[in-house]
Amino acid sequence: MSWFNKKTKPEETGDESLLATYRSTGDLALLGKLYERYMPLVYGVCLKYLQDEEQSKDAVMQIFEDLVDKVVKHDIKQFRSWLYVLSRNYCLMQLRSAKKFDTVSVDDVMESAFVLHPDNSSKEEYLQSLERCMEKLNDAQKQTVDLFYLQEKCYKDIAGQTGFSLNEVKSFIQNGKRNLKICMEKNSER
């Protein structure tokens, strides 16, 4: 892509002017013109942190999509510096999310000898253990796990009912499953 090789150069219209006009009109072409000036900078930042050309190109596009809302919400004094920090933070979040724990299937959490071949006394012990472990979850995890698995709600419905964002709902469920699994394993060792 040729825009990765462009040099950033001063334009006739200042950054602040383009930014102000975009905020008042919502014209994406103006934001695109402003962003195009700094695409090489953004790409360089992404390449530095992500160390992968394709991921960096994808990040440049995703950062532009994020800009559409963020430039309206933030008080930006110097666009270039602000964009640099935004790009760096985006890359750090990507790196951080890549290091997160692997997701655990609910089947892995629930699968045990008790569930596969329950007898009445073992099943009762298992359910009591599961209840105790559910109580140990924080409120957000407990609420989202309950809504997702026991009440069979979708992420969107849970977000609407709880006021959490979709990403928060996914995170709470994932972390709740992991914590349940750890707790259940500890209880089965006793």
Side-chain angles (χ1 to χ4, degrees):
M1 294 185 155
S2 62
W3 48 266
F4 287 112
N5 300 324
K6 284 184 182 179
K7 299 275 188 225
T8 305
K9 61 183 178 197
E11 300 284 333
E12 310 80 49
T13 310
D15 293 351
E16 292 78 20
S17 174
L18 279 174
L19 194 56
T21 308
Y22 168 71
R23 284 178 172 162
S24 64
T25 66
D27 184 357
L28 279 177
L30 294 172
L31 185 61
K33 183 178 179 179
L34 177 59
Y35 188 64
E36 187 175 12
R37 296 176 185 178
Y38 299 105
M39 285 173 102
L41 168 77
V42 174
Y43 177 71
V45 170
C46 293
L47 193 57
K48 174 183 172 185
Y49 285 96
L50 302 176
Q51 297 180 353
D52 179 270
E53 289 183 20
E54 290 305 312
Q55 272 188 317
S56 297
K57 289 177 184 177
D58 291 343
V60 169
M61 297 284 96
Q62 186 60 47
I63 290 168
F64 178 74
E65 289 179 21
D66 291 349
L67 274 182
V68 173
D69 292 324
K70 291 188 179 192
V71 296
V72 175
K73 294 177 183 174
H74 291 91
D75 182 29
I76 303 167
K77 301 292 183 212
Q78 290 194 338
F79 183 75
R80 185 178 193 276
S81 302
W82 180 84
L83 182 60
Y84 174 86
V85 172
L86 177 75
S87 303
R88 184 193 66 203
N89 290 345
Y90 176 87
C91 293
L92 291 173
M93 289 302 292
Q94 292 301 305
L95 293 171
R96 194 173 298 140
S97 68
K99 290 182 182 180
K100 281 188 179 174
F101 296 101
D102 292 331
T103 57
V104 176
S105 166
V106 74
D107 295 331
D108 294 339
V109 173
M110 302 301 174
E111 189 173 306
S112 72
F114 301 125
V115 173
L116 295 176
H117 304 288
D119 62 36
N120 287 342
S121 64
S122 297
K123 182 178 180 183
E124 186 63 32
E125 289 172 25
Y126 177 80
L127 291 174
Q128 288 175 355
S129 178
L130 182 59
E131 256 181 57
R132 283 191 302 273
C133 289
M134 279 289 286
E135 290 303 315
K136 291 180 181 179
L137 297 177
N138 71 39
D139 291 339
Q141 290 174 1
K142 189 185 320 177
Q143 183 180 18
T144 55
V145 167
D146 178 68
L147 289 168
F148 189 75
Y149 291 108
L150 301 179
Q151 297 182 36
E152 298 181 348
K153 303 261 186 194
C154 68
Y155 290 152
K156 185 178 177 183
D157 290 343
I158 295 170
Q161 187 173 338
T162 62
F164 299 134
S165 70
L166 282 177
N167 286 338
E168 288 174 321
V169 169
K170 291 175 187 177
S171 177
F172 292 145
I173 291 171
Q174 179 180 351
N175 292 333
K177 287 191 306 186
R178 184 183 68 245
N179 292 336
L180 275 177
K181 181 180 183 201
I182 292 167
C183 180
M184 294 297 290
E185 286 172 351
K186 285 180 183 176
N187 285 341
S188 69
E189 291 172 0
R190 292 182 188 165

